[in-house]
Amino acid sequence: MRAVIIDGYVDEPACFGVPPYISPYIRYIAGALREKGFQEENISYFTIDHLRKDITEAPILIKRADIVVVLAGMTVPGKYLRSTPINIGEIESIFSATSGIKVLGGPIRLGFSLEGGKQAECDIITNTEVCISRKDIEALVFDITGDNAQSPDGYNHRFRSVKEIGRWSTKGSFIIKKHPDYPNVMCEIETYRGCGRKQHCSFCTEPSYGSSDYRPVKDVISEISELYKHGARFFRIGRQPDILSYHAKDKGGEIPEPDPQAILSLYKGIRNVAPDLKVLHMDNANPGTIATYPELSREIFKTIVKYHTSGDVAALGMESADPEVVRANGLKAMPDEIFEAIKIINEVGRIRGTNGMPEILPGINIVHGLIGESKKTFELNFEFLKKVLDEDLLLRRINIRQVMAFPGTRMYGNDELVRKHKQIFLKYKEMIRKEIDLPMLKKIIPAGTVLKDVMCEINSERICFGRQMGSYPLLVGIPANQKSGEYIDVTVTRHGHRSITGIPYPLNINTAPISLIQEILGIGKKQATIINKELPFKDADDFAQRTGKKEILPYISF
């Protein structure tokens, strides 16, 4: 039996799977196939970007496969450095190339994200032989393959169980070695999914998975142990709507009570089975949880700082600083509660870590086009962010987007404000980038800061773009091409709205091009030309004597 898994990428409110990330779904699908008798060597895996380049091996494997599985679905809009999600035409082309069983699933079941944030029903796929998963794709793949297989035509769609993914996550861990970025693959880890709130946000798709369904701590640790054995060194505990609510206790209120012991057991256990991991980050924290249980939340963040790796980000779903919008859309917290959450995370996590970034900082998600939005909403949001900046609190990331309305959410059919406020939105977003993001970034990583282990990802003309592996990594532009896939340390020299310019640290002054020399702090183009004419330098003393630039010695080598 031969299977092909195509990763068309996923991006959800509580799950990310765009390279260098690999989503849990891919590993669950591979594990389900293994449990049904497929051998590892007969399970092929391609990202859609890889498939676009591969005109030989992949098409042959797809043609011969007994089952072809396509994972897709972008339920939040995103821009990606070097990846492009699958489109409808590509899905149909893949399925037209095989005579085997055709399975399509993932967040795409909720609707297909089109250009401009518009949504199309998943049934826009015209290939009538395709079995579109209406619930969990991994459960469908398991049920229609191997012994006691059900017919795809009469299949009863279902959700997988926590016990099933406990098995499939470990059995499918081998698949990461087939990722084109391996070993530089960030494994997105699920602790639970679904929303335990009694009132859900008007636009979020997470409630479509049901109420909170916690995975046992031991299962998560076992999964990471297997991934580690297969060479994984980068992990993000990102597949959950609120890390603070993992195994939380229902006290009858709107927000369950956090269990710091569960988080301690999780993080300590991960460190025990993956002692030499390179990244352990998180995602998603409910600011309402922090505001309701400040001391328990503070304890959890202290645990995270003790066991994680620096540069971490706790993304807070603020969505709006307009109380009217908060009430109308069932959002998680009022502006003053979110401000308190930002303060608590700053208190615990703003100290600079070993990789050059602060240990952990909050991120903020803002959504526009929600029910009840007015022109005043834009003013209130800007005033909130200005207050954060003025009170010397740090935000690593401010994500501003317009709402995408999906069937089953209260926003569906109520998105006229997206169109009405489009021009206001664009001007306001640019104002935040200039007046908030830029000065904030200068506070977080001042010029002269050294960022460790920046991975050089792509070269564009004479600029290399790189990032540290992690949760919401900062984009680094290096004004000279570098070797793709190589890790280097970088000195921060200049700041953009959401990115920085940097040079290799230490910079070999005798071999560096002028484009890098002129970026050294205190050295412009004119001085760089003079230094270049003096090359080579024997050592630091020779350099200092001939140039008089002792102050840059900490950033250069010979």
Side-chain angles (χ1 to χ4, degrees):
M1 295 185 293
R2 292 163 295 194
V4 174
I5 303 170
I6 306 296
D7 193 345
Y9 310 141
V10 299
D11 193 350
E12 300 179 86
C15 186
F16 191 54
V18 180
Y21 280 73
I22 184 170
S23 73
Y25 301 114
I26 293 296
R27 308 190 307 265
Y28 298 164
I29 293 165
L33 289 167
R34 286 286 293 115
E35 193 163 296
K36 277 309 203 58
F38 286 74
Q39 300 301 308
E40 288 185 14
E41 61 268 23
N42 291 331
I43 302 174
S44 300
Y45 166 66
F46 301 98
T47 66
I48 184 59
D49 286 311
H50 185 189
L51 188 60
R52 289 170 184 137
K53 299 173 185 176
D54 188 339
I55 59 173
T56 54
E57 180 191 20
I60 293 172
L61 291 170
I62 290 170
K63 183 178 181 180
R64 295 176 178 175
D66 298 291
I67 181 171
V68 174
V69 183
V70 175
L71 175 74
M74 320 299 284
T75 59
V76 289
K79 294 182 179 179
Y80 313 106
L81 179 61
R82 55 182 173 88
S83 298
T84 304
I86 199 168
N87 61 49
I88 293 172
E90 288 172 327
I91 292 172
E92 294 196 321
S93 177
I94 289 166
F95 286 138
S96 296
T98 183
S99 58
I101 298 172
K102 306 168 178 63
V103 177
L104 173 65
I108 192 174
R109 70 183 178 86
L110 302 169
F112 200 98
S113 174
L114 301 177
E115 186 176 355
K118 296 179 181 178
Q119 298 306 312
E121 297 295 326
C122 192
D123 289 339
I124 198 171
I125 306 298
T126 59
N127 190 320
T128 56
E129 296 178 351
V130 177
C131 181
I132 299 175
S133 173
R134 301 299 176 187
K135 291 190 177 177
D136 279 330
I137 186 172
E138 57 267 37
L140 188 154
V141 168
F142 180 79
D143 290 348
I144 66 174
T145 56
D147 296 336
N148 303 315
Q150 300 177 33
S151 168
D153 296 333
Y155 173 74
N156 183 25
H157 297 264
R158 69 178 179 88
F159 287 121
R160 42 69 168 179
S161 70
V162 166
K163 286 186 178 180
E164 284 178 319
I165 61 167
R167 302 193 307 268
W168 299 342
S169 64
T170 55
K171 292 178 186 290
S173 59
F174 74 94
I175 205 73
I176 66 165
K177 299 177 80 169
K178 301 186 180 186
H179 193 286
D181 287 349
Y182 180 84
N184 299 316
V185 180
M186 178 71 78
C187 296
E188 182 86 323
I189 303 296
E190 176 182 347
T191 61
Y192 75 96
R193 68 177 187 179
C195 182
R197 297 182 65 214
K198 294 175 175 58
Q199 183 182 21
H200 304 303
C201 298
S202 64
F203 56 90
C204 185
T205 56
E206 193 62 21
S208 69
Y209 292 106
S211 57
S212 299
D213 192 16
Y214 304 121
R215 296 182 67 193
V217 172
K218 64 179 180 59
D219 283 8
V220 180
I221 293 172
S222 293
E223 177 185 3
I224 289 179
S225 177
E226 285 301 310
L227 288 166
Y228 187 80
K229 291 174 185 175
H230 284 287
R233 294 295 182 269
F234 306 96
F235 304 95
R236 185 175 82 157
I237 306 171
R239 207 283 168 251
Q240 72 277 311
D242 177 19
I243 185 66
L244 303 168
S245 293
Y246 179 48
H247 283 292
K249 303 161 188 173
D250 187 353
K251 297 290 186 176
E254 168 66 13
I255 297 175
E257 181 182 293
D259 182 358
Q261 185 59 46
I263 307 297
L264 175 61
S265 298
L266 176 66
Y267 273 79
K268 190 174 181 179
I270 291 170
R271 281 295 195 168
N272 286 337
V273 299
D276 294 321
L277 60 78
K278 295 180 179 178
V279 170
L280 178 58
H281 281 181
M282 60 157 288
D283 196 13
N284 299 330
N286 181 355
T289 305
I290 302 171
T292 306
Y293 301 100
E295 291 310 313
L296 293 176
S297 298
R298 186 178 278 105
E299 183 180 348
I300 287 172
F301 281 117
K302 286 180 179 179
T303 291
I304 290 171
V305 168
K306 181 177 180 179
Y307 291 102
H308 79 160
T309 58
S310 52
D312 210 347
V313 178
L316 305 177
M318 177 176 85
E319 329 306 0
S320 180
D322 184 341
E324 294 300 320
V325 175
V326 173
R327 282 187 283 268
N329 293 272
L331 302 183
K332 296 175 281 294
M334 284 292 178
D336 58 335
E337 294 177 316
I338 294 163
F339 193 83
E340 286 304 308
I342 292 170
K343 285 178 65 176
I344 287 172
I345 299 172
N346 269 261
E347 288 169 13
V348 176
R350 71 182 289 163
I351 185 171
R352 196 165 303 281
T354 56
N355 72 349
M357 293 294 292
E359 286 289 350
I360 185 169
L361 290 179
I364 285 288
N365 297 326
I366 300 175
V367 179
H368 281 282
L370 297 176
I371 300 166
E373 179 179 280
S374 65
K375 291 181 180 179
K376 185 179 179 182
T377 303
F378 294 88
E379 297 173 7
L380 291 172
N381 284 349
F382 183 82
E383 289 170 5
F384 179 90
L385 295 173
K386 189 70 167 59
K387 180 182 176 183
V388 172
L389 181 66
D390 290 345
E391 297 205 13
D392 195 32
L393 296 173
L394 302 179
L395 293 174
R396 165 57 199 93
R397 159 189 175 271
I398 303 171
N399 183 29
I400 311 165
R401 66 179 179 92
Q402 290 186 295
V403 70
M404 294 170 65
F406 284 84
T409 65
R410 280 185 288 147
M411 271 303 304
Y412 194 60
N414 291 308
D415 55 351
E416 68 279 357
L417 289 174
V418 170
R419 296 182 293 274
K420 182 180 178 181
H421 291 158
K422 183 71 174 179
Q423 293 307 312
I424 298 174
F425 172 80
L426 293 175
K427 290 180 181 178
Y428 145 93
K429 187 175 181 179
E430 182 63 22
M431 185 169 67
I432 288 175
R433 295 300 178 228
K434 289 180 179 178
E435 298 184 32
I436 306 294
D437 274 318
L438 181 56
M440 184 72 73
L441 198 53
K442 289 179 178 180
K443 284 186 175 187
I444 294 171
I445 40 168
T449 302
V450 175
L451 297 179
K452 300 285 188 179
D453 297 322
V454 173
M455 184 175 73
C456 303
E457 291 196 61
I458 57 172
N459 289 305
S460 177
E461 296 181 350
R462 287 176 290 181
I463 299 177
C464 174
F465 292 100
R467 298 177 293 187
Q468 293 174 314
M469 291 288 280
S471 193
Y472 307 109
L474 183 66
L475 183 64
V476 180
I478 304 166
N481 286 171
Q482 307 292 316
K483 183 179 178 181
S484 295
E486 183 178 41
Y487 287 90
I488 64 172
D489 297 341
V490 169
T491 302
V492 177
T493 60
R494 286 186 287 138
H495 300 80
H497 295 164
R498 305 189 79 193
S499 62
I500 60 102
T501 298
I503 57 176
Y505 171 85
L507 184 68
N508 188 326
I509 201 71
N510 288 325
T511 60
I514 290 180
S515 62
L516 293 180
I517 296 174
Q518 69 186 24
E519 284 290 336
I520 301 172
L521 299 177
I523 303 293
K525 190 172 184 178
K526 183 178 179 180
Q527 189 66 39
T529 302
I530 294 172
I531 290 173
N532 189 63
K533 289 179 179 178
E534 292 288 325
L535 296 176
F537 300 97
K538 295 179 181 178
D539 52 30
D541 289 338
D542 183 34
F543 179 85
Q545 184 177 3
R546 291 163 60 190
T547 67
K549 292 290 181 179
K550 292 182 180 180
E551 67 274 12
I552 72 171
L553 287 174
Y555 303 104
I556 62 176
S557 67
F558 304 91

